[in-house]
Amino acid sequence: MSTKQQAMQTIPAYPAEQFCVEIGANMGDSLGVYDELILDDLYQLAPPAHPRRLALASSADGEFCVGQGGELGTEGAALHLDCALTLMPSAGDNVEALVMVEVDAQNMISGIFLLPLAPLMAEISYTLVRADRDSARKKLAQMAFVAFTRGTRITLSTGAQKPIEELQPGERILTRDEGIQELRWIGQSTSRAVGRMAPVLIKAGAMNNARDLLVSPDHRLFVYQRRDELGTGCPELLVRARDLVNGDTVVLQDGGFVDYFQLLFDRHHIIYAEGIAAESLYLDPMVRPTLPNEVIEKITANPLGTQRRDSHGLEVEKSLLDLPNAVDLLKRSSLR
């Protein structure tokens, strides 16, 4: 990648060889690129149907490459977002998916990956009913969004709390890092609450939150440790919601539909949702293409808009949270 990596996402994916045409014009072939796809071909996922991690890194100029820490692809190799697919199973709801292509130094295809937005099942037939390139970037951005859900109460400059769906651009919001800041943009989308898009429910009190808090799985919560319970050596932590899931006080809320809301300021901030600190939307290269041009121009014209996402604290690795009482430890650490 020609420029410094600015964003990283780890996304569940399958190598194309695991997703093959069982009936149709391309019978016997594995998933190909957009120009090779034939609508109405029936695909089947070969067992074992366990996705592996594709580390997707993106640079400030919007290029992608295979990042560090994944299980698929060659680290540093260029990746291209090829297209978006709609797959119709023999039973159940349609599944949206993305196709990404890895290329070598000679720009030859060295790997093709399927990134489903909802779980795929082995030995179930999936009919390819749609393939397009126009919506691919938007769908990838939706996977990268950090978002709150309808009904979440956000703390205003006055200390009052307001449901997120009632906020308007220009609203003055209380931030932890820079006091009162003006809200620049509000995004809204409705998604099936399955797979990568299923929200995480942090039950009231679990992280000192006043009420239930429902956020997107990659949403980072801010924890100030008065005592270093996790042994991180850093008092200020950022913790992904999905890494806190324990099946009890923090659970994945899978099923149905969810309304997601994104809050964007001139720079990345820590705000308050249901009384606890959580991040606002970070304008990274995966998110940028989905925002209105006039919003991008205003933010990029502000020299403070280049703030790094990790400037708010240490991003905690999942390995440090693989403890049955991790949520309780974090809650206690912020109280002592």
Side-chain angles (χ1 to χ4, degrees):
M1 183 174 288
S2 59
T3 57
K4 186 177 179 181
Q5 293 177 12
Q6 299 291 323
M8 174 83 76
Q9 290 283 322
T10 302
I11 300 174
Y14 297 94
E17 295 76 18
Q18 273 194 268
F19 199 62
C20 299
V21 179
E22 58 168 346
I23 299 175
N26 289 328
M27 188 169 61
D29 293 343
S30 59
L31 178 70
V33 296
Y34 178 77
D35 292 336
E36 300 171 351
L37 300 175
I38 303 295
L39 296 184
D40 294 328
D41 275 359
L42 269 67
Y43 287 79
Q44 196 170 93
L45 183 64
H50 302 301
R52 290 188 279 168
R53 299 191 309 275
L54 175 64
L56 177 61
S58 59
S59 65
D61 58 10
E63 294 180 347
F64 298 108
C65 77
V66 179
Q68 299 177 349
E71 301 172 298
L72 295 171
T74 302
E75 185 179 327
L79 282 171
H80 298 291
L81 180 58
D82 184 63
C83 63
L85 308 179
T86 301
L87 303 166
M88 183 176 66
S90 52
D93 296 320
N94 288 352
V95 175
E96 303 291 330
L98 299 173
V99 177
M100 296 208 75
V101 178
E102 177 184 346
V103 298
D104 59 23
Q106 287 73 45
N107 210 34
M108 301 294 290
I109 294 177
S110 56
I112 300 174
F113 307 110
L114 179 70
L115 287 59
L117 275 67
L120 294 175
M121 304 296 292
E123 300 178 346
I124 295 290
S125 295
Y126 291 90
T127 303
L128 177 61
V129 295
R130 181 180 172 83
D132 74 276
R133 284 179 163 153
D134 293 339
S135 66
R137 197 66 189 251
K138 181 177 180 180
K139 285 185 169 61
L140 180 63
Q142 289 175 340
M143 297 174 75
F145 273 149
V146 296
F148 301 96
T149 58
R150 181 178 295 276
T152 302
R153 297 183 303 176
I154 304 297
T155 301
L156 307 180
S157 60
T158 60
Q161 294 181 320
K162 192 172 186 178
I164 195 167
E165 64 271 19
E166 296 179 10
L167 294 176
Q168 298 292 329
E171 202 107 37
R172 291 164 60 81
I173 307 295
L174 179 64
T175 74
R176 182 186 184 276
D177 48 306
E178 288 196 33
I180 298 168
Q181 295 294 320
E182 186 174 298
L183 183 60
R184 179 67 70 187
W185 179 81
I186 305 171
Q188 179 181 355
S189 61
T190 300
S191 304
R192 287 184 59 214
V194 294
R196 184 75 179 181
M197 304 305 292
V200 173
L201 173 63
I202 302 163
K203 295 182 180 179
M207 295 287 289
N208 300 312
N209 43 310
R211 300 196 316 166
D212 287 354
L213 178 63
L214 193 64
V215 295
S216 58
D218 279 330
H219 210 129
R220 289 160 174 79
L221 306 178
F222 176 89
V223 177
Y224 181 80
Q225 294 192 110
R226 301 179 186 276
R227 179 174 175 176
D228 191 1
E229 295 280 359
L230 291 182
T232 62
C234 181
E236 298 185 339
L237 307 179
L238 291 171
V239 186
R240 283 190 183 91
R242 62 180 167 87
D243 292 339
L244 295 173
V245 172
N246 58 15
D248 181 18
T249 57
V250 182
V251 296
L252 196 66
Q253 191 159 293
D254 190 277
F257 290 83
V258 60
D259 291 332
Y260 279 128
F261 293 81
Q262 303 87 32
L263 302 182
L264 183 70
F265 297 83
D266 282 339
R267 61 186 292 184
H268 187 235
H269 288 293
I270 301 298
I271 62 176
Y272 295 92
E274 301 301 350
I276 64 171
E279 68 174 335
S280 65
L281 181 64
Y282 179 64
L283 187 60
D284 67 26
M286 296 187 197
V287 170
R288 186 183 295 264
T290 66
L291 270 62
N293 290 333
E294 59 271 20
V295 172
I296 298 294
E297 290 171 1
K298 288 180 181 178
I299 291 176
T300 54
N302 182 352
L304 296 178
T306 59
Q307 180 190 27
R308 290 169 55 92
R309 191 175 196 173
D310 59 6
S311 63
H312 296 298
L314 174 70
E315 187 167 313
V316 180
E317 297 292 333
K318 179 170 171 43
S319 58
L320 289 177
L321 298 168
D322 284 339
L323 302 168
N325 62 339
V327 174
D328 290 336
L329 288 175
L330 286 170
K331 179 179 179 179
R332 290 206 307 268
S333 74
S334 64
L335 294 174
R336 294 183 179 182

mmCIF file of all heavy atoms in Angstrom, residues 20-49:
data_model
loop_
_atom_site.group_PDB
_atom_site.id
_atom_site.type_symbol
_atom_site.label_atom_id
_atom_site.label_comp_id
_atom_site.label_asym_id
_atom_site.label_seq_id
_atom_site.Cartn_x
_atom_site.Cartn_y
_atom_site.Cartn_z
ATOM 1 N N CYS A 20 -19.054 -22.748 -4.058
ATOM 2 C CA CYS A 20 -19.013 -23.217 -5.451
ATOM 3 C C CYS A 20 -20.412 -23.380 -6.034
ATOM 4 O O CYS A 20 -21.392 -23.590 -5.306
ATOM 5 C CB CYS A 20 -18.268 -24.551 -5.541
ATOM 6 S SG CYS A 20 -16.557 -24.458 -4.985
ATOM 7 N N VAL A 21 -20.488 -23.308 -7.357
ATOM 8 C CA VAL A 21 -21.756 -23.478 -8.067
ATOM 9 C C VAL A 21 -22.079 -24.956 -8.161
ATOM 10 O O VAL A 21 -21.300 -25.745 -8.710
ATOM 11 C CB VAL A 21 -21.681 -22.848 -9.475
ATOM 12 C CG1 VAL A 21 -23.000 -23.056 -10.217
ATOM 13 C CG2 VAL A 21 -21.346 -21.358 -9.390
ATOM 14 N N GLU A 22 -23.241 -25.352 -7.630
ATOM 15 C CA GLU A 22 -23.659 -26.750 -7.723
ATOM 16 C C GLU A 22 -24.587 -26.976 -8.913
ATOM 17 O O GLU A 22 -24.620 -28.078 -9.476
ATOM 18 C CB GLU A 22 -24.345 -27.190 -6.436
ATOM 19 C CG GLU A 22 -25.575 -26.370 -6.046
ATOM 20 C CD GLU A 22 -26.370 -27.013 -4.931
ATOM 21 O OE1 GLU A 22 -26.141 -28.205 -4.626
ATOM 22 O OE2 GLU A 22 -27.253 -26.322 -4.381
ATOM 23 N N ILE A 23 -25.348 -25.930 -9.294
ATOM 24 C CA ILE A 23 -26.233 -26.032 -10.454
ATOM 25 C C ILE A 23 -26.205 -24.684 -11.172
ATOM 26 O O ILE A 23 -26.354 -23.633 -10.552
ATOM 27 C CB ILE A 23 -27.689 -26.362 -10.045
ATOM 28 C CG1 ILE A 23 -27.764 -27.695 -9.314
ATOM 29 C CG2 ILE A 23 -28.603 -26.371 -11.256
ATOM 30 C CD1 ILE A 23 -29.147 -28.022 -8.771
ATOM 31 N N GLY A 24 -26.029 -24.702 -12.479
ATOM 32 C CA GLY A 24 -26.052 -23.458 -13.236
ATOM 33 C C GLY A 24 -24.987 -23.405 -14.305
ATOM 34 O O GLY A 24 -24.249 -24.370 -14.549
ATOM 35 N N ALA A 25 -24.889 -22.251 -14.946
ATOM 36 C CA ALA A 25 -23.967 -22.090 -16.067
ATOM 37 C C ALA A 25 -22.511 -22.296 -15.667
ATOM 38 O O ALA A 25 -21.702 -22.773 -16.456
ATOM 39 C CB ALA A 25 -24.147 -20.689 -16.677
ATOM 40 N N ASN A 26 -22.167 -21.920 -14.423
ATOM 41 C CA ASN A 26 -20.787 -22.067 -13.942
ATOM 42 C C ASN A 26 -20.616 -23.288 -13.054
ATOM 43 O O ASN A 26 -19.754 -23.320 -12.181
ATOM 44 C CB ASN A 26 -20.364 -20.813 -13.171
ATOM 45 C CG ASN A 26 -20.163 -19.608 -14.059
ATOM 46 O OD1 ASN A 26 -19.751 -19.754 -15.205
ATOM 47 N ND2 ASN A 26 -20.444 -18.421 -13.542
ATOM 48 N N MET A 27 -21.426 -24.314 -13.279
ATOM 49 C CA MET A 27 -21.433 -25.496 -12.410
ATOM 50 C C MET A 27 -20.025 -26.052 -12.216
ATOM 51 O O MET A 27 -19.269 -26.244 -13.170
ATOM 52 C CB MET A 27 -22.336 -26.586 -12.990
ATOM 53 C CG MET A 27 -22.534 -27.771 -12.037
ATOM 54 S SD MET A 27 -23.851 -28.897 -12.591
ATOM 55 C CE MET A 27 -23.208 -29.435 -14.171
ATOM 56 N N GLY A 28 -19.696 -26.270 -10.936
ATOM 57 C CA GLY A 28 -18.394 -26.812 -10.591
ATOM 58 C C GLY A 28 -17.339 -25.762 -10.314
ATOM 59 O O GLY A 28 -16.291 -26.075 -9.736
ATOM 60 N N ASP A 29 -17.608 -24.518 -10.707
ATOM 61 C CA ASP A 29 -16.637 -23.452 -10.487
ATOM 62 C C ASP A 29 -16.840 -22.805 -9.117
ATOM 63 O O ASP A 29 -17.960 -22.749 -8.596
ATOM 64 C CB ASP A 29 -16.763 -22.367 -11.557
ATOM 65 C CG ASP A 29 -16.365 -22.861 -12.945
ATOM 66 O OD1 ASP A 29 -15.701 -23.920 -13.015
ATOM 67 O OD2 ASP A 29 -16.722 -22.186 -13.927
ATOM 68 N N SER A 30 -15.763 -22.305 -8.568
ATOM 69 C CA SER A 30 -15.864 -21.541 -7.325
ATOM 70 C C SER A 30 -16.270 -20.100 -7.638
ATOM 71 O O SER A 30 -16.260 -19.678 -8.802
ATOM 72 C CB SER A 30 -14.529 -21.566 -6.578
ATOM 73 O OG SER A 30 -13.499 -21.012 -7.373
ATOM 74 N N LEU A 31 -16.624 -19.368 -6.605
ATOM 75 C CA LEU A 31 -17.042 -17.963 -6.763
ATOM 76 C C LEU A 31 -15.988 -17.175 -7.536
ATOM 77 O O LEU A 31 -14.795 -17.246 -7.231
ATOM 78 C CB LEU A 31 -17.243 -17.346 -5.380
ATOM 79 C CG LEU A 31 -17.635 -15.873 -5.343
ATOM 80 C CD1 LEU A 31 -19.063 -15.694 -5.847
ATOM 81 C CD2 LEU A 31 -17.486 -15.324 -3.925
ATOM 82 N N GLY A 32 -16.445 -16.417 -8.523
ATOM 83 C CA GLY A 32 -15.527 -15.622 -9.324
ATOM 84 C C GLY A 32 -15.752 -14.138 -9.144
ATOM 85 O O GLY A 32 -16.491 -13.699 -8.248
ATOM 86 N N VAL A 33 -15.144 -13.348 -9.992
ATOM 87 C CA VAL A 33 -15.295 -11.898 -9.949
ATOM 88 C C VAL A 33 -16.552 -11.483 -10.709
ATOM 89 O O VAL A 33 -17.190 -12.300 -11.387
ATOM 90 C CB VAL A 33 -14.046 -11.199 -10.528
ATOM 91 C CG1 VAL A 33 -12.840 -11.505 -9.666
ATOM 92 C CG2 VAL A 33 -13.796 -11.621 -11.963
ATOM 93 N N TYR A 34 -16.896 -10.224 -10.611
ATOM 94 C CA TYR A 34 -18.159 -9.704 -11.137
ATOM 95 C C TYR A 34 -18.421 -10.105 -12.589
ATOM 96 O O TYR A 34 -19.528 -10.556 -12.921
ATOM 97 C CB TYR A 34 -18.153 -8.177 -11.005
ATOM 98 C CG TYR A 34 -19.376 -7.497 -11.560
ATOM 99 C CD1 TYR A 34 -20.577 -7.490 -10.862
ATOM 100 C CD2 TYR A 34 -19.331 -6.857 -12.797
ATOM 101 C CE1 TYR A 34 -21.703 -6.864 -11.371
ATOM 102 C CE2 TYR A 34 -20.451 -6.222 -13.318
ATOM 103 C CZ TYR A 34 -21.635 -6.236 -12.602
ATOM 104 O OH TYR A 34 -22.743 -5.618 -13.116
ATOM 105 N N ASP A 35 -17.430 -9.952 -13.457
ATOM 106 C CA ASP A 35 -17.629 -10.219 -14.888
ATOM 107 C C ASP A 35 -17.868 -11.691 -15.189
ATOM 108 O O ASP A 35 -18.325 -12.038 -16.291
ATOM 109 C CB ASP A 35 -16.419 -9.726 -15.692
ATOM 110 C CG ASP A 35 -16.311 -8.202 -15.683
ATOM 111 O OD1 ASP A 35 -17.344 -7.540 -15.485
ATOM 112 O OD2 ASP A 35 -15.185 -7.693 -15.850
ATOM 113 N N GLU A 36 -17.574 -12.574 -14.237
ATOM 114 C CA GLU A 36 -17.734 -14.011 -14.454
ATOM 115 C C GLU A 36 -19.024 -14.552 -13.854
ATOM 116 O O GLU A 36 -19.394 -15.702 -14.104
ATOM 117 C CB GLU A 36 -16.549 -14.761 -13.840
ATOM 118 C CG GLU A 36 -15.199 -14.375 -14.436
ATOM 119 C CD GLU A 36 -14.036 -14.970 -13.659
ATOM 120 O OE1 GLU A 36 -14.282 -15.541 -12.563
ATOM 121 O OE2 GLU A 36 -12.888 -14.871 -14.124
ATOM 122 N N LEU A 37 -19.719 -13.744 -13.065
ATOM 123 C CA LEU A 37 -20.900 -14.223 -12.355
ATOM 124 C C LEU A 37 -22.102 -14.334 -13.286
ATOM 125 O O LEU A 37 -22.296 -13.511 -14.181
ATOM 126 C CB LEU A 37 -21.237 -13.283 -11.200
ATOM 127 C CG LEU A 37 -20.152 -13.123 -10.131
ATOM 128 C CD1 LEU A 37 -20.566 -12.066 -9.112
ATOM 129 C CD2 LEU A 37 -19.883 -14.453 -9.432
ATOM 130 N N ILE A 38 -22.918 -15.357 -13.059
ATOM 131 C CA ILE A 38 -24.145 -15.583 -13.830
ATOM 132 C C ILE A 38 -25.312 -15.643 -12.849
ATOM 133 O O ILE A 38 -25.320 -16.464 -11.914
ATOM 134 C CB ILE A 38 -24.077 -16.897 -14.631
ATOM 135 C CG1 ILE A 38 -22.859 -16.911 -15.565
ATOM 136 C CG2 ILE A 38 -25.376 -17.082 -15.419
ATOM 137 C CD1 ILE A 38 -22.888 -15.886 -16.664
ATOM 138 N N LEU A 39 -26.291 -14.760 -13.050
ATOM 139 C CA LEU A 39 -27.465 -14.777 -12.183
ATOM 140 C C LEU A 39 -28.192 -16.106 -12.301
ATOM 141 O O LEU A 39 -28.194 -16.740 -13.363
ATOM 142 C CB LEU A 39 -28.401 -13.620 -12.534
ATOM 143 C CG LEU A 39 -27.859 -12.206 -12.317
ATOM 144 C CD1 LEU A 39 -28.948 -11.173 -12.613
ATOM 145 C CD2 LEU A 39 -27.327 -12.025 -10.905
ATOM 146 N N ASP A 40 -28.817 -16.509 -11.211
ATOM 147 C CA ASP A 40 -29.588 -17.746 -11.069
ATOM 148 C C ASP A 40 -28.711 -18.979 -10.877
ATOM 149 O O ASP A 40 -29.242 -20.085 -10.717
ATOM 150 C CB ASP A 40 -30.539 -17.976 -12.256
ATOM 151 C CG ASP A 40 -31.634 -16.919 -12.321
ATOM 152 O OD1 ASP A 40 -32.045 -16.430 -11.247
ATOM 153 O OD2 ASP A 40 -32.049 -16.566 -13.433
ATOM 154 N N ASP A 41 -27.389 -18.837 -10.891
ATOM 155 C CA ASP A 41 -26.538 -19.959 -10.481
ATOM 156 C C ASP A 41 -26.809 -20.264 -9.017
ATOM 157 O O ASP A 41 -27.008 -19.357 -8.195
ATOM 158 C CB ASP A 41 -25.058 -19.618 -10.669
ATOM 159 C CG ASP A 41 -24.567 -19.886 -12.079
ATOM 160 O OD1 ASP A 41 -25.372 -20.358 -12.914
ATOM 161 O OD2 ASP A 41 -23.370 -19.632 -12.353
ATOM 162 N N LEU A 42 -26.799 -21.561 -8.675
ATOM 163 C CA LEU A 42 -27.006 -22.004 -7.295
ATOM 164 C C LEU A 42 -25.662 -22.372 -6.679
ATOM 165 O O LEU A 42 -24.948 -23.222 -7.209
ATOM 166 C CB LEU A 42 -27.945 -23.212 -7.233
ATOM 167 C CG LEU A 42 -29.439 -22.920 -7.062
ATOM 168 C CD1 LEU A 42 -29.988 -22.227 -8.306
ATOM 169 C CD2 LEU A 42 -30.200 -24.203 -6.786
ATOM 170 N N TYR A 43 -25.347 -21.705 -5.566
ATOM 171 C CA TYR A 43 -24.087 -21.932 -4.867
ATOM 172 C C TYR A 43 -24.323 -22.727 -3.592
ATOM 173 O O TYR A 43 -25.420 -22.728 -3.013
ATOM 174 C CB TYR A 43 -23.431 -20.604 -4.498
ATOM 175 C CG TYR A 43 -22.833 -19.847 -5.650
ATOM 176 C CD1 TYR A 43 -23.639 -19.094 -6.506
ATOM 177 C CD2 TYR A 43 -21.466 -19.876 -5.894
ATOM 178 C CE1 TYR A 43 -23.098 -18.379 -7.566
ATOM 179 C CE2 TYR A 43 -20.908 -19.162 -6.955
ATOM 180 C CZ TYR A 43 -21.729 -18.423 -7.788
ATOM 181 O OH TYR A 43 -21.180 -17.732 -8.839
ATOM 182 N N GLN A 44 -23.272 -23.377 -3.137
ATOM 183 C CA GLN A 44 -23.332 -24.090 -1.869
ATOM 184 C C GLN A 44 -22.004 -23.914 -1.144
ATOM 185 O O GLN A 44 -20.933 -23.940 -1.760
ATOM 186 C CB GLN A 44 -23.624 -25.572 -2.088
ATOM 187 C CG GLN A 44 -24.071 -26.302 -0.829
ATOM 188 C CD GLN A 44 -24.581 -27.704 -1.131
ATOM 189 O OE1 GLN A 44 -23.822 -28.663 -1.072
ATOM 190 N NE2 GLN A 44 -25.862 -27.820 -1.473
ATOM 191 N N LEU A 45 -22.112 -23.705 0.167
ATOM 192 C CA LEU A 45 -20.929 -23.529 0.997
ATOM 193 C C LEU A 45 -20.453 -24.892 1.473
ATOM 194 O O LEU A 45 -21.201 -25.641 2.105
ATOM 195 C CB LEU A 45 -21.265 -22.637 2.200
ATOM 196 C CG LEU A 45 -20.138 -22.270 3.147
ATOM 197 C CD1 LEU A 45 -19.090 -21.421 2.436
ATOM 198 C CD2 LEU A 45 -20.682 -21.540 4.367
ATOM 199 N N ALA A 46 -19.204 -25.207 1.167
ATOM 200 C CA ALA A 46 -18.654 -26.504 1.546
ATOM 201 C C ALA A 46 -18.323 -26.519 3.040
ATOM 202 O O ALA A 46 -17.793 -25.538 3.572
ATOM 203 C CB ALA A 46 -17.402 -26.800 0.735
ATOM 204 N N PRO A 47 -18.620 -27.620 3.729
ATOM 205 C CA PRO A 47 -18.253 -27.707 5.143
ATOM 206 C C PRO A 47 -16.736 -27.862 5.289
ATOM 207 O O PRO A 47 -16.085 -28.349 4.363
ATOM 208 C CB PRO A 47 -18.989 -28.968 5.614
ATOM 209 C CG PRO A 47 -19.192 -29.784 4.365
ATOM 210 C CD PRO A 47 -19.334 -28.802 3.249
ATOM 211 N N PRO A 48 -16.140 -27.431 6.412
ATOM 212 C CA PRO A 48 -16.833 -26.813 7.561
ATOM 213 C C PRO A 48 -17.182 -25.355 7.274
ATOM 214 O O PRO A 48 -16.375 -24.633 6.695
ATOM 215 C CB PRO A 48 -15.780 -26.905 8.675
ATOM 216 C CG PRO A 48 -14.478 -26.862 7.953
ATOM 217 C CD PRO A 48 -14.697 -27.583 6.650
ATOM 218 N N ALA A 49 -18.376 -24.958 7.672
ATOM 219 C CA ALA A 49 -18.880 -23.616 7.334
ATOM 220 C C ALA A 49 -18.487 -22.600 8.395
ATOM 221 O O ALA A 49 -19.332 -21.912 8.960
ATOM 222 C CB ALA A 49 -20.391 -23.664 7.177
#
